[in-house]
Amino acid sequence: PVLVESLLVFTMVLSVHAVVWDRFSWCAVALAVQAFYVQFKWDRLLQLGGAVFQFRGAANSGLLPASMVIPLLGVVMKERCRAAGIVYFERFGIVVASTGMLLALFLSVLAVGITKPVPTNTCILTGIAGSVIIYTMKHSLTVSEVIEVLEVLLIFVYLSMILLYLLPRCFTPGEALLVLGGVSFVLNQLIKRSLNVIKGRGDPIDFFLLVAVVGVVLLGLFFTVLFIFMDSGTWISSMFFHMMTAVLGLGVIMPWLYRLIHRNPLFWLFQFLFQTQTRLYLLLYWTFLAASACGVVFYQNTKRSSESKKHQASTITRKYFHFIVVATYVPGLIYDRQLLYVAAVLCLAVFIFLEYVRYFRIKPFGQTLRHLLSLFLDERDSGPLILTHIYLLLGMSLPVWLFPRSCAPKGTLPGAGALVPYSGVLAVGVGDTIASVFGSTMGEIKWPGTKKTFEGTMTAIFAQIIAVALILIFDSSVNLNSSYAWILASVSLVSLLEAYTTQIDNLLLPLYLQIMLMA
């Protein structure tokens, strides 16, 4: 399975390289080759328990697929913005690609350094790939861009040491690279933009995303350190938690956002949400869907109490939430993407806050949340945090958040790029859901070395093609310009990756589909 997963990632890397064909795409190929070899060193370290931190079990390291996501995103973003003539975001794409390559190299060097005996051939490959990448960065980046890349690396190193120690068995090395690398980049961007505030420059919804992500991460770090010295399950600790959340929110996050957007954040948010009648209808519709999702949770827990305490939700039951999320995102993508952008940020902040309440057993809802959500645990929730529902939200939202709006003057990219905001809906909402439902109910022919079935994968590909046809019918802004063969190849590769990867597919698949569609 690891070899097939690697082959699929190589195919996507070479596809992007064939389209872009510049020094950065060559660097991506070099990075992929060395990551393939280093991945086996990480897998060996995980098996022998010598990987410094405790990583998630029942999965390989996932270094190769994770290493290529951020560099490829940067490469395709650079190419799209270059074609649109937007120099600022072309340079931004170069910084993203360079940062992703440096983070992946750091993780590779770490694995090689702690492997005993030292793997000579892998060291040579890592050295060659690193030399090629650093040489390219030297001749492509300005001094300020080099400093920015190094700042992200420094933040990543410190975040990794803190969070991987505090949260054992929550991530594989690849997932840690993706999640912590993303958070490090967001934190650096927020600091950079806070120090260079120019009134009227920058979209408030982008600042809202940056402040919300950094705010909830800092909140979690603060309470994690605090509750080392206090029992978090008492009423006094719970009151302190709620009080300090209000203090940090109103005393730090709100003023920070005010400095960036030069408006009262609460007034701006209220005005934004209720600006048009369409937004009001969408908010009412989403409130109904949220209530439906809560109803599913309560109903399934009622069944557990009446049938058996060991009752666990089936795969099909868990996929109800995928259907609800698709029903949430599609109208937002068609009618108001900016509202969807902001609503997804709010939802992410609420999800993470509720996870803090559950994890720290904050009264009065902490223990209740533990009981309700334990029904939906699977083998990927082996650590102290329950992250699968947050990954589902991220997988659906990242294509919306990462869509290069400034490089798409008409609000959409030409050709297959028009489907980029729908990457999460197609890969996770439709593809992964249909593959799981049909594979678990009717699948008989298993892919070699996995539990996934041939029938599930083929049905997922077919369902995604139907979904693309429906998007063409209902979303008039989408014009594919006869790029159907590329779309079919992209959907097929990502569906096959879903069958073979042991990483969090809710996070990985939408990003790879977005990369392929943007390329």
Side-chain angles (χ1 to χ4, degrees):
V2 177
L3 292 175
V4 177
E5 178 190 54
S6 302
L7 177 63
L8 292 167
V9 173
F10 268 116
T11 304
M12 288 187 268
V13 171
L14 293 174
S15 300
V16 172
H17 175 55
V19 173
V20 177
W21 200 269
D22 65 4
R23 63 178 73 178
F24 283 97
S25 64
W26 278 107
C27 286
V29 173
L31 181 69
V33 172
Q34 73 86 30
F36 172 73
Y37 280 90
V38 175
Q39 179 172 253
F40 291 101
K41 307 305 173 189
W42 265 115
D43 289 343
R44 179 176 168 79
L45 287 169
L46 293 176
Q47 290 169 4
L48 298 176
V52 183
F53 299 106
Q54 294 183 57
F55 291 100
R56 183 166 67 85
N60 61 29
S61 64
L63 186 66
L64 174 58
S67 293
M68 302 315 302
V69 169
I70 300 176
L72 290 180
L73 270 174
V75 167
V76 294
M77 184 185 298
K78 171 189 73 70
E79 195 64 16
R80 284 291 188 176
C81 294
R82 185 190 63 79
I86 312 296
V87 177
Y88 176 82
F89 283 100
E90 181 185 350
R91 300 302 305 176
F92 183 73
I94 291 173
V95 171
V96 172
S98 303
T99 303
M101 291 177 189
L102 204 61
L103 295 180
L105 273 177
F106 170 76
L107 214 58
S108 297
V109 170
L110 181 64
V112 170
I114 59 179
T115 300
K116 303 297 179 189
V118 176
T120 308
N121 294 338
T122 307
C123 282
I124 294 171
L125 269 174
T126 303
I128 293 171
S131 301
V132 169
I133 290 167
I134 292 171
Y135 179 82
T136 303
M137 289 169 61
K138 178 178 179 291
H139 289 82
S140 303
L141 300 178
T142 63
V143 174
S144 62
E145 288 170 344
V146 170
I147 293 172
E148 187 175 347
V149 170
L150 293 176
E151 285 170 351
V152 177
L153 178 61
L154 187 64
I155 295 169
F156 174 77
V157 171
Y158 279 106
L159 265 184
S160 299
M161 288 193 297
I162 295 169
L163 291 180
L164 292 178
Y165 173 74
L166 294 174
L167 304 172
R169 303 181 309 281
C170 284
F171 308 100
T172 64
E175 291 160 7
L177 173 61
L178 269 182
V179 175
L180 301 183
V183 172
S184 303
F185 195 87
V186 166
L187 178 56
N188 185 66
Q189 283 296 306
L190 181 58
I191 295 170
K192 176 186 171 184
R193 297 189 190 195
S194 299
L195 295 174
N196 298 283
V197 175
I198 301 175
K199 189 171 182 179
R201 184 173 178 180
D203 195 329
I205 66 173
D206 291 330
F207 292 135
F208 185 61
L209 171 63
L210 295 177
V211 172
V213 170
V214 173
V216 293
V217 170
L218 293 179
L219 191 69
L221 286 173
F222 174 78
F223 285 117
T224 300
V225 173
L226 180 68
F227 287 137
I228 291 174
F229 307 101
M230 294 175 63
D231 180 8
S232 61
T234 64
W235 274 106
I236 294 176
S237 297
S238 299
M239 289 173 65
F240 187 72
F241 173 88
H242 295 301
M243 183 181 68
M244 286 306 300
T245 299
V247 169
L248 290 171
L250 297 174
V252 177
I253 295 173
M254 288 296 175
W256 202 344
L257 191 53
Y258 178 83
R259 172 176 167 74
L260 292 168
I261 67 174
H262 301 282
R263 277 177 273 177
N264 184 301
L266 291 176
F267 289 161
W268 168 79
L269 183 61
F270 185 82
Q271 183 183 11
F272 179 88
L273 292 176
F274 301 102
Q275 194 170 17
T276 65
Q277 195 171 27
T278 302
R279 290 186 176 180
L280 184 60
Y281 289 147
L282 281 171
L283 289 171
L284 289 171
Y285 171 65
W286 290 341
T287 303
F288 168 74
L289 290 176
S292 302
C294 293
V296 171
V297 172
F298 286 120
Y299 173 71
Q300 290 297 324
N301 274 274
T302 304
K303 284 179 64 179
R304 173 170 65 174
S305 59
S306 62
E307 292 176 7
S308 168
K309 290 186 178 180
K310 294 183 179 180
H311 174 73
Q312 285 294 113
S314 65
T315 301
I316 296 176
T317 301
R318 285 200 293 269
K319 297 306 174 184
Y320 286 161
F321 298 104
H322 287 233
F323 286 119
I324 290 172
V325 169
V326 170
T328 302
Y329 274 72
V330 170
L333 288 167
I334 294 173
Y335 294 111
D336 198 328
R337 291 182 185 178
Q338 283 202 323
L339 178 65
L340 180 64
Y341 186 113
V342 171
V345 174
L346 286 171
C347 198
L348 176 67
V350 170
F351 273 24
I352 295 176
F353 177 76
L354 289 176
E355 180 56 23
Y356 291 157
V357 171
R358 187 205 65 84
Y359 174 63
F360 293 123
R361 305 189 310 278
I362 301 299
K363 295 181 182 298
F365 302 114
Q367 203 60 44
T368 304
L369 283 172
R370 283 193 168 220
H371 175 74
L372 290 174
L373 295 181
S374 64
L375 175 67
F376 300 94
L377 294 178
D378 61 14
E379 67 277 359
R380 294 173 295 184
D381 292 310
S382 56
L385 296 183
I386 300 177
L387 296 171
T388 46
H389 60 297
I390 297 174
Y391 284 139
L392 174 60
L393 178 66
L394 282 174
M396 300 292 287
S397 304
L398 283 172
V400 180
W401 294 339
L402 298 177
F403 180 75
R405 298 190 309 279
S406 302
C407 303
K410 295 181 181 179
T412 184
L413 296 173
L419 291 173
V420 165
Y422 289 94
S423 300
V425 171
L426 292 172
V428 175
V430 176
D432 182 41
T433 304
I434 297 297
S436 295
V437 172
F438 278 83
S440 60
T441 55
M442 296 189 295
E444 294 183 1
I445 306 171
K446 284 186 166 44
W447 290 107
T450 75
K451 297 179 181 178
K452 307 295 176 67
T453 64
F454 174 82
E455 294 89 345
T457 303
M458 292 300 109
T459 312
I461 295 171
F462 184 63
Q464 288 174 82
I465 298 303
I466 293 175
V468 170
L470 291 173
I471 291 168
L472 279 170
I473 293 170
F474 291 103
D475 191 344
S476 57
S477 67
V478 175
N479 182 11
L480 300 182
N481 295 335
S482 304
S483 51
Y484 302 108
W486 183 268
I487 293 169
L488 177 61
S490 303
V491 164
S492 301
L493 284 169
V494 171
S495 297
L496 286 168
L497 183 63
E498 186 274 334
Y500 276 96
T501 188
T502 56
Q503 305 305 296
I504 299 292
D505 48 11
N506 288 349
L507 187 62
L508 200 64
L509 302 183
L511 292 172
Y512 268 109
L513 186 57
Q514 177 174 6
I515 289 165
M516 292 297 291
L517 294 175
M518 280 183 69

